[in-house]
Amino acid sequence: MISQLRLYCDTAQLSEIEQHQVILAVEEVCANLIIHSHDCNSNEYIDLNVISSKALIVFEILDFGEGFNILEYQEPEISQVIKSKRKGGLGIILVKRIMDKIEFESFENKNICRLYKILNSK
C-alpha cells in the first residue's frame, strides 16, 4: 500500500515532506478502521481508492465495519494526553492538520472517508 501511495504522491509532485505527511494521514485513518471498526479481524478488509487531478488528490477509504465519523471526533487537550501519559489519541488530530478537507459518509453498512489534499497548498 505504501509504495502505491508514494507513486500517487510522486505523480502529484508533492514534496518529500508532504508525501510523508499524506501517507501518515492515510495510514492513520486505515489503522484506526482496522483496529476500532474491525477489531483487527483479518477476515475483513478496507478499500483505498485514489482520485487525482492537477489541482487535487483524494484518498477515498471504504469499509464495511462499525462507522466512525472522523468529523465528529472530539480532540483531546494535548496537555491532558501528555499529563496522563496516554498512548494514542493524537492521530486524528494529525490527519485533520495534514489534509485540506475531510468528508465522511455512511449508509447501510458502508462507510466512506475522503481525505483531500490540494496540490501546491502551503
Side-chain angles (χ1 to χ4, degrees):
M1 178 175 90
I2 293 174
S3 60
Q4 289 294 338
L5 288 173
R6 263 202 191 93
L7 180 63
Y8 282 110
C9 290
D10 278 341
T11 304
Q13 297 181 340
L14 293 174
S15 72
E16 188 174 343
I17 291 172
E18 288 174 313
Q19 286 185 34
H20 289 298
Q21 290 173 338
V22 166
I23 291 168
L24 174 67
V26 173
E27 283 182 330
E28 180 63 28
V29 171
C30 291
N32 278 341
L33 289 173
I34 291 166
I35 293 166
H36 300 294
S37 293
H38 298 275
D39 294 323
C40 298
N41 184 341
S42 62
N43 293 321
E44 295 182 13
Y45 64 93
I46 59 174
D47 288 327
L48 173 64
N49 300 311
V50 181
I51 304 153
S52 62
S53 68
K54 288 187 178 199
L56 182 70
I57 189 165
V58 181
F59 301 91
E60 188 176 73
I61 304 159
L62 294 88
D63 83 291
F64 300 92
E66 183 179 326
F68 171 73
N69 187 338
I70 190 173
L71 301 175
E72 294 176 356
Y73 175 74
Q74 296 295 314
E75 293 182 8
E77 287 290 324
I78 293 177
S79 60
Q80 291 300 319
V81 173
I82 294 168
K83 185 186 254 184
S84 68
K85 298 181 182 177
R86 186 179 87 188
K87 292 183 180 180
L90 300 177
I92 300 301
I93 295 170
L94 285 172
V95 173
K96 288 182 172 184
R97 293 205 172 116
I98 291 169
M99 302 310 287
D100 294 305
K101 180 180 174 185
I102 300 170
E103 288 179 348
F104 183 86
E105 64 182 276
S106 183
F107 49 95
E108 296 177 8
N109 65 338
K110 183 178 182 180
N111 307 297
I112 302 171
C113 180
R114 290 184 192 92
L115 306 175
Y116 293 78
K117 187 66 178 171
I118 299 170
L119 302 178
N120 298 318
S121 68
K122 302 294 180 205

